[in-house]
Amino acid sequence: MGAWALPWPPLLLALLTVLPGQSPGATAQVQVCSVDKTFLQVEENSNITEPLVNISIPEGQQVTLGPSSTPSAFRILGNQLFLNVIPDYEEDSMLEAHLECRRGDTVVTQLRVFVVVLDINDNAPEFPFTTKEQQVEEDTRVNSTVIPEAELQATDRDKDSILFYTLQEVTPGAGSFFSLLGVNRPALRLDRALDFYKWQNMTFQLLVRDTREEHVTPSHTATATLVLKVLPADLRPPWFLPCSYSDGYVCIQAQYQGAIPTGHRLPSPLTLRPGPIYAVDGDQGINQRVIYSIIGGNEDNTFAIGPDSGNLTMTKSVPSPTTFLLVVKGEQADLARYSVTQVTVDAHQATGSQLYFPQSLYRGTVAPGSGAGVAVKDTASPSQPLRIWAQDPEFPNLNSAITYRITNCSEFQMSGETVLTTTAIQQAGVFYAEVEAKNTVTAGVATTVVEIRVSGQEPPSTGIPGSSTADVAAEGGPKDDQRFSTVDMAVLGGVLGALLLLALMGLVVLIHKHYGHRLNCCSGKVSEPQPRGFDNRAFLGDHEANWAPAPSSGTGSKSVEVPPESPSPVSPGPESPSSESPGPAPLASAHESPAAARAGDSPSAVRSILTKERRPEGGYKAVWFGEDIGAEADVVVLNAPSVDADGAGDSGSEGSSDQVAVRDWGPRSAPDDDDDDSTYI
């Protein structure tokens, strides 16, 4: 509003309009309308409420707005002119008021008042887009313009605005690839070579400001999004897999080895190491189909290769041992690029040696929910498929004549040396499958077992305790994979400890009940030794014991021993049964029974029936019957050592004599005197 008092430009001074028919000299004599200002300046967006100009109106005249006035921009109240709108430079840069002084219907005077609207910075810049996507070839040259300036320029409705641009990265690290040509030139330029495999999409924010400084007032900004999609370029030839080294640009390709038997034509594709012939387009984003062919080393056209599969097959047999060095070419289907590799095939004689697996148990994993055709992963190397292969001594590393199948598990199948699922595997568990390898030339067969754990967790490294390979193979079904916490194991240990304590207490009670009368721990004299059928000095740690219940014969029982007729060879020194030692008495001779120390007329007297029957393998047998022997007996078979060279035994105890003791725990009725049954164990 302070701009109203600016001096009037000479070219814009208002002239009084002279009525038709009046001379200039007469004008000064006639009173006409006049204004104090005919030119004004106002800033846009100003709400002006005071009058713009004052109008002098002679008596008998009226002032109105003429038809050439800016529509709706002015109004006249009394003898003052007011601005009727808020001026906007972008709509009207100049407003004009056409004043007509009338006397009745006659126009006496015409006046013009001009209002110049001054532009101020009240509009933000605008981009012609919100988000712009641009495709960029991977092989675009550095310093090339990717998006021209005309496509990224913003506009500002303010007069003479100068716009300043900034490129801000949204994708971390993308700012090192692109930049703008200048702060006032928004063309996008490539600063660094692109890599499709590392940077396939990069997002930026393009910012524009209508002032040089950021914090100036007023200052307006606008933003737009740039999305750059990197397109792969055909830069790499096909790669034969697996690569022994690859950095995304270079692949040290695989070379393949195989072996075949002489005199035979294998009907199936050859099994090669490190795998089948397989190549992929080095530019995986393009992924051109690879076509295979043999371009060298195929003497007598012995081999053929599938152009699409890469499977190497035999067209004829090889009569004698030789080595083929095949050169295989892998070429893109668009014929743009190709590469070659070498396949070494050794022809050996097959003599029918037996197959064998290097491992008796293989371990693999598969994730729950896997569908059909999913490869089982190797537990030792979870990123690699599990490979199961047999060896032939004639073909120590490879044999293309070997085929594989699973014999007992329908959920899995063999695909060459790889295990695949045949159906969807839903629930966690463990499968044990038997894999059979067969040499189609020699008919040799070998089997092994593969443990397939359906779980995302790593299986335990230990095998199945107490089970053989055959037992594992016979199962073939899923097993529950149980896991126990430390608390569970502690509780289990406590329960087992309590059970062990109860068992020991029960054992003490049984010993006291049956042998309490023999334990003279509290007497003042040494008790007389009580030899028992199972106490024998020949029962040493170096000998084996075999316990078995003795059969019952009527109401009696038998205690059978086969002692040597001379002192036991394990006791070089003489030891009397009436010794003061409380330990068990030795078997001194064949005429002394284990119960000889007992009274002859006591209820527990033992009648000795000694037979001198010679066993074919050496030794004798002796049978005792006792009335107090229980219903059940324990049998101990003791193998006494042979007689030493010092003559500790006699001719009746040559070789090894079997000593058998039958132990009863309860009384029985007297045996039949006529019973001449002799027991030989």
Side-chain angles (χ1 to χ4, degrees), residues 171-228:
T171 302
S176 62
F177 287 92
F178 296 95
S179 65
L180 300 177
L181 287 181
V183 68
N184 303 120
R185 300 186 60 189
L188 190 66
R189 177 181 58 193
L190 179 65
D191 297 332
R192 176 182 166 191
L194 298 173
D195 186 346
F196 171 78
Y197 302 101
K198 295 181 180 178
W199 304 88
Q200 298 184 8
N201 294 281
M202 286 178 275
T203 303
F204 295 88
Q205 187 177 65
L206 184 61
L207 182 142
V208 62
R209 188 172 59 250
D210 58 9
T211 59
R212 181 181 296 275
E213 293 79 13
E214 182 177 355
H215 302 291
V216 174
T217 303
S219 179
H220 303 88
T221 60
T223 57
T225 301
L226 293 179
V227 178
L228 302 179

Side-chain angles (χ1 to χ4, degrees), residues 107-463:
V107 177
V108 178
T109 306
Q110 294 185 20
L111 302 173
R112 294 184 183 276
V113 178
F114 298 94
V115 179
V116 177
V117 180
L118 300 178
D119 184 31
I120 64 172
N121 186 11
D122 64 336
N123 292 287
E126 295 180 355
F127 282 106
F129 57 87
T130 302
T131 300
K132 183 177 182 62
E133 293 186 359
Q134 183 76 19
Q135 295 180 341
V136 185
E137 294 286 342
E138 181 184 13
D139 57 352
T140 301
R141 301 183 67 176
V142 175
N143 294 327
S144 299
T145 298
V146 176
I147 304 178
E149 182 177 345
E151 296 183 17
L152 298 180
Q153 278 183 331
T155 58
D156 194 338
R157 298 174 61 191
D158 295 324
K159 182 181 179 181
D160 300 329
S161 292
I162 300 176
L163 301 180
F164 301 86
Y165 298 88
T166 304
L167 187 66
Q168 301 173 338
E169 68 175 29
V170 176
T171 302
S176 62
F177 287 92
F178 296 95
S179 65
L180 300 177
L181 287 181
V183 68
N184 303 120
R185 300 186 60 189
L188 190 66
R189 177 181 58 193
L190 179 65
D191 297 332
R192 176 182 166 191
L194 298 173
D195 186 346
F196 171 78
Y197 302 101
K198 295 181 180 178
W199 304 88
Q200 298 184 8
N201 294 281
M202 286 178 275
T203 303
F204 295 88
Q205 187 177 65
L206 184 61
L207 182 142
V208 62
R209 188 172 59 250
D210 58 9
T211 59
R212 181 181 296 275
E213 293 79 13
E214 182 177 355
H215 302 291
V216 174
T217 303
S219 179
H220 303 88
T221 60
T223 57
T225 301
L226 293 179
V227 178
L228 302 179
K229 295 183 177 296
V230 180
L231 300 180
D234 196 354
L235 302 175
R236 305 164 184 84
W239 291 348
F240 284 94
L241 303 181
C243 296
S244 59
Y245 169 81
S246 175
D247 61 355
Y249 297 96
V250 177
C251 167
I252 300 180
Q253 305 183 93
Q255 294 189 351
Y256 305 93
Q257 294 86 34
I260 58 174
T262 57
H264 297 275
R265 175 182 175 273
L266 300 178
S268 57
L270 271 62
T271 302
L272 305 175
R273 291 281 186 275
I277 299 173
Y278 181 64
V280 297
D281 188 353
D283 302 297
Q284 298 180 18
I286 299 177
N287 198 24
Q288 277 283 334
R289 183 170 59 92
V290 177
I291 301 174
Y292 305 92
S293 61
I294 301 176
I295 61 175
N298 192 12
E299 300 177 6
D300 200 20
N301 292 325
T302 305
F303 300 96
I305 192 169
D308 295 321
S309 65
N311 289 332
L312 190 66
T313 56
M314 299 181 65
T315 60
K316 59 184 69 175
S317 62
V318 179
S320 61
T322 186
T323 299
F324 295 87
L325 299 177
L326 305 178
V327 179
V328 175
K329 176 182 178 181
E331 186 171 19
Q332 295 179 186
D334 60 0
L335 307 181
R337 297 179 181 274
Y338 72 91
S339 59
V340 296
T341 189
Q342 182 173 279
V343 181
T344 303
V345 181
D346 294 323
H348 296 290
Q349 292 182 352
T351 59
S353 57
Q354 293 297 319
L355 292 174
Y356 71 94
F357 281 97
Q359 298 177 223
S360 60
L361 179 63
Y362 293 81
R363 289 186 172 90
T365 60
V366 65
S370 299
V374 176
V376 175
K377 300 298 183 180
D378 193 341
T379 299
S381 180
S383 63
Q384 300 296 327
L386 177 65
R387 305 194 70 172
I388 303 174
W389 54 285
Q391 295 180 346
D392 192 310
E394 296 296 328
F395 300 86
N397 296 322
L398 351 148
N399 192 340
S400 298
I402 300 176
T403 60
Y404 301 87
R405 70 186 184 99
I406 292 179
T407 62
N408 67 332
C409 187
S410 61
E411 288 81 4
F412 300 91
Q413 65 180 354
M414 296 298 297
S415 176
E417 301 171 352
T418 306
V419 183
L420 303 179
T421 58
T422 57
T423 60
I425 307 297
Q426 299 297 337
Q427 296 182 351
V430 179
F431 292 85
Y432 291 94
E434 182 185 64
V435 178
E436 178 187 86
K438 183 176 182 181
N439 192 319
T440 57
V441 174
T442 64
V445 177
T447 59
T448 188
V449 175
V450 55
E451 175 191 272
I452 304 173
R453 187 173 297 272
V454 185
S455 173
Q457 300 178 352
E458 183 178 355
S461 58
T462 58

